[in-house]
Amino acid sequence: MKVVIYGLGAVGTVFAGFLKKSGHTVYAVTKEKYIDKFKNNLITIKGIWGDFKTNLDGIFTNTDHLKDKEIDLIILSVKSYDTKNILQDIGKILSKNTFVLVAQNGYGNYEQLTEKFGSNQILLSRIIFGAKIIKTGMVEVTVSADDVKIGDPSGKIDKSKIKYIVEQINNSGIPASFDPNVYQTLWDKILYNCALNPLGALLKSNYGDLASNPETVKIMNNIIKEIFTVCEKNNIKLNYSNSDEYIEYFYRKLIPPTSAHYPSMYYDLLEGKKLEIDALNGAIVQLAKKVGIKVPVNETITNLIKFEEKKNIK
C-alpha cells in the first residue's frame, strides 16, 4: 500500500515504523516545528514489539507534495483538538480509492470526518496499546492490552477491503483484527480513557496506583456511571448492559496488563502541551447538556484539567 500517516506522535510513529518496515510505501505529515528533527526521514521504534530503525519515504508539513501519489490509506493520528484544522489538507489526497483510518482518542473525530467526507471511505479504530515519545522520531511501545480493532460503523464499506487493511497492519507487527462493532468497542476505550487519563495526569499516577486506591476508585466508578447514563440518554449503544458489568471488567481485565502505564495526558501536561480533555470527559459534559442532564464528576474533572492546561501550557 501507499500510506500517509497524518500526525507523527507516539501512535502515528508506531504505525509509520511498522508499516514501512514490512514493505509498504509510507509518507508522513507532521507539524512544521518538528520537521527539522527528522534527519533523512529516520524514525526509531523500541519496546515490546521489537527495536528497529527505518527511513520513511517522505515527511512533510502538509499534503501538497503527495497529491499525485495515489494514496491507498491515510491513518489519522493527530490529537483530537487538531482534527478540524486538517480536514481540508486531508481532502487534497483523498481519491475515491483512498480510505481514512481514524486512529485517535476520544469522541467526535469519526463524526467530523464523516460529516466532511461522507462515510463510504472512513474507517474507525480502537487502539489500546501504549507508546511514549522518547524524543521526536523515537518512540517506545510500552504495553498492549488488546488488538487494534478496525471496522466501519456505517456498514457501507466492503468488508473484504477492510479486512485487507487489517491484514496488512497485523502482518506488519501491530496486532490488529476486524471488528464489525468497532463503534461500541471505541466507546469501551472512551470509558477507559475518561476514567484513567485525567486522574493519572492530575495525580501524577499510573493506572495501577489509581486502581488500588479507594478514593480514586470511587471517582473512577462515578465517572463510568455518569457515562453510561449519558450514552443511554443519547441512544449510544455500548458493549455492556450496565455500568457495574463494565466496572467489573475494567478492574479485572483492563487494568492489570496496563497497571504500570502513565496516560499520554500526563506526559502532555508535563511538556506543557494542549490536552485532549474536550474529546474525553469534556465530550461527556457536552453530550449530557444535549439531553439536559448533569454529570458533576465528569464536569469537575474537565474543569480541573482545563485549569492545569492553562497553568502549564507553553
Side-chain angles (χ1 to χ4, degrees):
M1 296 187 296
K2 288 184 180 178
V3 183
V4 172
I5 310 296
Y6 207 112
L8 277 179
V11 168
T13 303
V14 171
F15 274 107
F18 278 91
L19 286 169
K20 177 58 183 175
K21 179 172 171 279
S22 65
H24 299 283
T25 300
V26 179
Y27 307 100
V29 177
T30 190
K31 290 183 177 179
E32 191 166 351
K33 63 182 178 180
Y34 300 126
I35 195 74
D36 291 337
K37 297 181 180 180
F38 292 96
K39 304 299 181 185
N40 300 314
N41 300 323
L42 179 70
I43 60 172
T44 303
I45 308 293
K46 298 177 178 292
I48 61 172
W49 294 337
D51 300 352
F52 63 91
K53 297 181 179 182
T54 189
N55 299 87
L56 303 186
D57 296 281
I59 302 176
F60 309 101
T61 57
N62 56 55
T63 62
D64 289 345
H65 296 282
L66 300 169
K67 290 178 182 177
D68 61 346
K69 300 297 185 183
E70 297 182 2
I71 301 302
D72 299 300
L73 177 66
I74 302 167
I75 298 181
L76 183 58
S77 51
V78 299
K79 294 290 189 179
S80 296
Y81 49 75
D82 283 330
T83 299
K84 182 180 179 181
N85 298 327
I86 53 87
L87 293 178
Q88 185 175 349
D89 198 39
I90 285 176
K92 296 175 186 176
I93 55 170
L94 191 66
S95 74
K96 64 179 182 179
N97 297 316
T98 309
F99 290 101
V100 180
L101 175 62
V102 179
Q104 299 167 280
N105 273 338
Y107 173 82
N109 298 297
Y110 175 79
E111 289 75 11
Q112 289 184 71
L113 267 290
T114 53
E115 183 178 346
K116 176 75 173 177
F117 302 117
S119 54
N120 293 327
Q121 297 170 265
I122 312 300
L123 300 173
L124 183 63
S125 69
R126 189 288 316 267
I127 294 168
I128 204 164
F129 67 78
K132 65 179 182 180
I133 298 172
I134 300 170
K135 63 180 182 179
T136 302
M138 180 181 291
V139 168
E140 180 182 5
V141 182
T142 56
V143 67
S144 178
D146 196 7
D147 289 358
V148 174
K149 299 289 189 180
I150 299 171
D152 164 31
S154 74
K156 296 178 181 177
I157 301 172
D158 184 339
K159 287 185 176 61
S160 66
K161 294 181 178 180
I162 305 172
K163 290 178 179 178
Y164 175 78
I165 291 170
V166 171
E167 183 181 12
Q168 300 312 305
I169 293 172
N170 189 63
N171 289 346
S172 79
I174 299 173
S177 54
F178 172 68
D179 184 355
N181 299 312
V182 69
Y183 196 78
Q184 292 96 298
T185 305
L186 179 67
W187 267 96
D188 291 353
K189 176 75 181 299
I190 293 171
L191 282 157
Y192 177 87
N193 280 343
C194 285
L196 291 164
N197 284 19
L199 277 179
L202 289 167
L203 302 176
K204 303 176 178 62
S205 298
N206 63 34
Y207 295 167
D209 288 341
L210 294 175
S212 62
N213 183 290
E215 285 76 24
T216 45
V217 165
K218 184 176 181 180
I219 295 170
M220 291 192 294
N221 289 354
N222 284 329
I223 288 170
I224 292 166
K225 288 174 182 177
E226 288 181 358
I227 295 173
F228 267 81
T229 301
V230 164
C231 288
E232 182 183 357
K233 297 294 184 182
N234 280 278
N235 296 313
I236 295 170
K237 187 178 179 183
L238 300 176
N239 278 330
Y240 299 86
S241 56
N242 56 62
S243 58
D244 289 340
E245 183 183 343
Y246 177 80
I247 287 169
E248 190 276 332
Y249 180 74
F250 177 74
Y251 293 108
R252 179 173 56 86
K253 293 289 286 186
L254 297 182
I255 293 291
T258 59
S259 61
H261 187 69
Y262 287 80
S264 59
M265 192 177 288
Y266 165 76
Y267 296 108
D268 288 344
L269 189 61
L270 284 179
E271 294 169 19
K273 294 182 178 179
K274 191 174 179 181
L275 307 178
E276 289 187 291
I277 194 66
D278 284 333
L280 296 172
N281 306 74
I284 302 305
V285 174
Q286 295 306 312
L287 286 169
K289 287 180 179 177
K290 185 178 171 183
V291 294
I293 62 175
K294 301 287 187 182
V295 283
V297 182
N298 279 278
E299 187 167 4
T300 299
I301 289 292
T302 300
N303 290 338
L304 288 170
I305 285 290
K306 285 182 176 290
F307 171 80
E308 287 292 322
E309 181 181 54
K310 288 175 183 176
K311 188 174 71 173
N312 289 283
I313 200 162
K314 295 174 183 175

